[in-house]
């Protein structure tokens, strides 16, 4: 071995290779050292350029804390003021872009430079800045989104600290939108925030979802992190009608299994209370698919958390609805495991990031029930024409041009939400039709105008309909709709009870059509 080393050491080629390697290492070390030194100098220069707090009296610092026309925020500490001074300069363009790219380096490698450029140029609206919305916003800002509009009327409370992404004890009592901006400016000072401390509602939708300040840039994505059904439905309906990309987070409350959280179409979302109510209301408004949602497939069960009832002494104080922070907002306590809103929020942010950048991804398709809905709508039309001809002595011309006040959304609501895709008689799921449950006791025809411009329609209501198989519907038509028997004469008590219960359930939702 020693003789081999001696020969190698005297070999000119080996000596030359060793010299080259050593020289390369020295040059590489010098380059890396210079780059590191330059980075430290840039960071040092940037921090040194921030004006001293002593140069700006308390009034100037407090001026930076002003939120909007809804009022100012709590008094800032020195670190907050320094962060906001840096943010002001960064948002004005006085910030080394190389530092930003280094902070976003891992995303840049993953998404490629073009993808990161798309993300940095994106404008995202987050409606609802609680547990889900705060984690989503934090992920978007850290990932490179540079324009974020935050909409929420609420304030940080002690009980929200178990699930909020960035709030501290010092933020309790402050608005949620201001809290997010305050904390995230310390992480991503170049991000522009547009704060709207107000409740989202349908009449303000056009203003709240308007293009970015002084530009024509429409939202690249709208994030629904609302936990109130009325405002949630209003937001999703507006985005659907105006073709604004939107994703909706369903209920994280009472959930504990992160492996059951999925991204799927609104038509595939399952039966947690918020998801079910939102889906039903949207279907009645004609929205049956096309909205991605984040929801959990976890089922409730023995020993699992449930919505807590209000204490009895709260009812003694007056109308329960008066106890809410705003009209129509929930007042009951929803148990929330602090980790679950974070999983929901990051799942939403992940989908938004992938969609904006064009990164390949898929989510569960809608149930593919369009053909079923069309067939059921045709069955309703056929039943109404038969009933009308029966009432008018069999004249086939009377039913020509007859219209029914039923939409595909109505059909989807009845078939999926009320009857669960099963016959009310036997529970069979194939060859289904919708038909009247009871024989009309008065004429069903509504005529407006005179021939040849007469409009003919049926007085059918959703509460009149039940779901059966085609064979059951034929028998039902013969014995009841065009016969002399009542449902109680044909079906057992359990089936009659299910039909009556379904009618009551439909009546509760028919007002939202």
């Amino acid at each position: 071995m020693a003789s081999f080393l001696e020969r190698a050491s005297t070999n000119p080629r080996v000596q030359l290779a060793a010299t080259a390697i050593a020289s390369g290492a020295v040059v590489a070390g010098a380059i890396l050292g210079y780059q590191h030194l330059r980075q430290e100098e840039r960071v040092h220069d940037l921090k040194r350029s921030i004006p001293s707090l002593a140069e700006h009296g308390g009034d100037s610092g407090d001026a930076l804390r002003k939120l909007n026309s809804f009022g100012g925020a709590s008094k800032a500490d020195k670190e907050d003021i320094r962060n906001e001074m840096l943010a002001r300069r960064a948002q004005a363009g006085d910030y080394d872009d190389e530092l930003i790219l280094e902070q976003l380096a891992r995303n840049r490698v993953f998404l490629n430079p073009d993808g990161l450029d798309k993300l940095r140029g994106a404008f995202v609206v987050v409606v609802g800045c609680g547990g889900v919305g705060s984690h989503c916003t934090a992920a978007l800002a850290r990932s490179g989104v540079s324009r974020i509009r935050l909409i929420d009327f609420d304030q940080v409370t002690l009980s929200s600290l178990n699930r909020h992404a960035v709030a501290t004890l010092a933020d309790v009592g402050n608005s949620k939108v201001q809290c997010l901006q305050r904390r995230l400016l310390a992480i991503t000072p170049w991000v522009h925030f547009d704060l709207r401390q107000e409740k989202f509602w349908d009449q303000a939708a056009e203003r709240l979802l308007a293009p970015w300040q002084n530009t024509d840039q429409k939202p690249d994505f709208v994030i629904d992190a609302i936990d109130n059904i009325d405002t949630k439905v209003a937001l999703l309906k507006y985005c659907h009608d105006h073709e604004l990309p939107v994703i909706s987070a369903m209920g994280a409350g009472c959930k504990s299994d992160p492996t059951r959280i999925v991204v799927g179409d609104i038509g595939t979302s399952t039966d947690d209370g918020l998801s079910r109510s939102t889906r039903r209301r949207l279907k009645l408004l004609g929205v049956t698919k096309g909205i991605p949602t984040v929801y959990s497939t976890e089922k409730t069960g023995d020993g699992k958390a449930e919505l807590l009832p209000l204490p009895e002494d709260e009812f003694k104080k007056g109308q329960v609805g008066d106890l809410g922070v705003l009209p129509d907002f929930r007042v009951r306590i929803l148990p929330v495991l602090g980790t679950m809103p974070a999983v929901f929020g990051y799942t939403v942010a992940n989908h938004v990031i992938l969609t904006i950048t064009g990164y390949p991804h898929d989510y569960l398709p809608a149930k593919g029930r369009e053909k079923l809905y069309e067939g059921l709508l045709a069955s309703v039309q056929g039943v109404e024409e038969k009933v009308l001809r029966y009432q008018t002595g069999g004249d086939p011309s009377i039913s020509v041009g007859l219209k029914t006040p039923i939409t595909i959304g109505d059909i989807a609501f009845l078939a999926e939400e009320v009857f669960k895709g099963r016959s009310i008689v036997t529970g069979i799921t194939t060859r289904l039709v919708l038909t009247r449950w009871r024989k009309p006791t008065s004429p069903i025809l509504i005529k407006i105008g005179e021939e040849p411009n007469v409009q003919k329609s049926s007085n059918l209501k959703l509460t009149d309909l039940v779901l059966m198989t085609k064979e059951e519907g034929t028998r039902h038509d013969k014995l009841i709709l065009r016969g002399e028997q009542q449902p109680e004469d044909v079906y057992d008590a359990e089936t009659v009870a299910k039909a009556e219960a379904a009618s009551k359930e439909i009546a509760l939702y028919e007002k939202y059509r």
Side-chain angles (χ1 to χ4, degrees), residues 73 77 117 280 286 424:
D77 58 29
D117 287 344
R280 288 181 168 191
I424 199 170

Side-chain angles (χ1 to χ4, degrees), residues 283 369 372-373 376 409-422 432 434 467:
K283 284 180 176 177
R369 307 280 265 180
L372 170 64
Y373 301 155
L376 290 174
D410 297 333
I411 297 293
F413 168 70
L414 292 174
E416 305 285 6
E417 307 302 331
V418 178
F419 298 110
K420 310 300 182 186
R422 295 180 178 274
L432 298 172
L434 280 166
L467 193 66

